[in-house]
Amino acid sequence: MDKVSASAAEAVSDIGDGATLSVGGFGLCGIPSVLIQALLEQGTTDLEAFSNNAGVDDWGLGLLLGAGRIRRMVASYVGENKEFARQYLSGELEVELTPQGTLAERMRAGGVGIPAFFTATGGGTQVADGGLPWRYDDAGNVVVASPPKETRTFETPDGPREFVMEEALVADFGLVRAWKGDRHGNLVYRDSAQNFNPLAAMCGRVTIAEVEELVEPGDLDPNHVHTPGVFVHRVVELTPEQAAEKRIEKRTVTPR
């Protein structure tokens, strides 16, 4: 039951080339930065990542992007990463842009064993009809486009409405960051750092959590646990310095 790894490097050592990753975080909030750095140093490449966004140019998943380690992203928002945009538009990176709520539900569904679901989001658009550019070539031509999705009309309180079928996401590995965790893998997130972390933890076949504070089993109030240990396979205890390193994506201050 003791799931604590000796180091981040040990925890990610079996993530091989071509693996799929579900990665927690929103912007730079709650990202598993230490695990990402360990993966970068390990040299793993040809990765596919499911994450709300790809960090920024010099932090988070942006580090793996900058090193050319990611071949495909399933993401919702990518507007803060110039290298992401450059790789996408130059044909180096395949990108499946997904509405944010749909992405969250695709990850949650993967975690609970639901293979697909219907949502109204995207109905009547290219999300349903297909044709969204997933990959360009170096001349700017679309070489891979999204396929059309199954649609179905359901009765709603407002009358018939078209819904789009979306398939669940299941990753080989889930990478998340928690505020507190115990040796059994039970996790507690703090404030907005909860974001996509519970979903990324659920949909990973093997989930690795870096925790800012490691506590003993029984120290966490069961009513406060966000991710039960059944979803978590490895725990990495951060040093105080690692736990304190949290970057601000956009600093906003009040004018004097």
Side-chain angles (χ1 to χ4, degrees):
M1 290 294 290
D2 192 336
K3 301 175 181 179
V4 177
S5 297
S7 66
E10 178 186 281
V12 303
S13 61
D14 60 344
I15 301 180
D17 294 349
T20 55
L21 309 175
S22 57
V23 184
F26 189 103
L28 299 184
C29 181
I31 62 174
S33 54
V34 174
L35 293 173
I36 291 171
Q37 182 65 38
L39 202 55
L40 177 70
E41 294 172 0
Q42 180 173 290
T44 310
T45 191
D46 197 35
L47 296 166
E48 178 178 6
F50 314 146
S51 184
N52 182 63
N53 57 284
V56 293
D57 290 321
D58 63 347
W59 196 242
L61 286 176
L63 293 172
L64 291 172
L65 274 172
R69 306 286 179 77
I70 298 179
R71 65 170 176 81
R72 192 175 195 273
M73 283 288 307
V74 180
S76 171
Y77 178 68
V78 297
E80 303 301 323
N81 193 315
K82 293 180 181 178
E83 177 61 14
F84 187 112
R86 187 198 66 77
Q87 289 188 21
Y88 175 44
L89 296 175
S90 65
E92 299 172 28
L93 178 69
E94 186 172 309
V95 180
E96 182 180 345
L97 288 174
T98 304
Q100 193 168 89
T102 301
L103 176 62
E105 183 62 8
R106 290 180 71 188
M107 295 169 76
R108 190 198 71 84
V112 298
I114 297 173
F117 59 91
F118 283 91
T119 175
T121 303
T125 74
Q126 281 186 296
V127 171
D129 300 338
L132 288 173
W134 281 1
R135 180 182 285 276
Y136 294 95
D137 62 17
D138 55 9
N141 302 304
V142 177
V143 292
V144 181
S146 66
K149 296 177 179 178
E150 180 182 339
T151 61
R152 191 177 298 180
T153 300
F154 291 92
E155 287 293 335
T156 74
D158 299 319
R161 188 174 183 184
E162 182 183 84
F163 288 76
V164 182
M165 192 183 80
E166 294 282 357
E167 295 185 1
L169 292 171
V170 178
D172 297 324
F173 294 88
L175 307 180
V176 301
R177 179 168 182 147
W179 174 42
K180 291 183 180 181
D182 66 20
R183 293 180 177 275
H184 292 174
N186 298 299
L187 305 178
V188 178
Y189 310 102
R190 187 176 185 182
D191 299 331
S192 59
Q194 185 172 349
N195 53 60
F196 272 76
N197 276 300
L199 309 171
M202 290 174 69
C203 77
R205 291 189 179 94
V206 175
T207 292
I208 309 168
E210 58 181 64
V211 300
E212 297 176 18
E213 182 181 345
L214 179 67
V215 301
E216 295 303 316
D219 287 350
L220 297 177
D221 183 340
N223 295 298
H224 296 163
V225 169
H226 296 122
T227 295
V230 68
F231 289 111
V232 179
H233 303 83
R234 299 169 196 165
V235 175
V236 176
E237 181 183 11
L238 302 184
T239 67
E241 293 75 22
Q242 290 172 328
E245 187 173 17
K246 298 174 183 177
R247 302 194 183 186
I248 297 174
E249 189 169 357
K250 288 187 176 182
R251 187 180 297 274
T252 302
V253 297
T254 302
R256 292 184 181 276

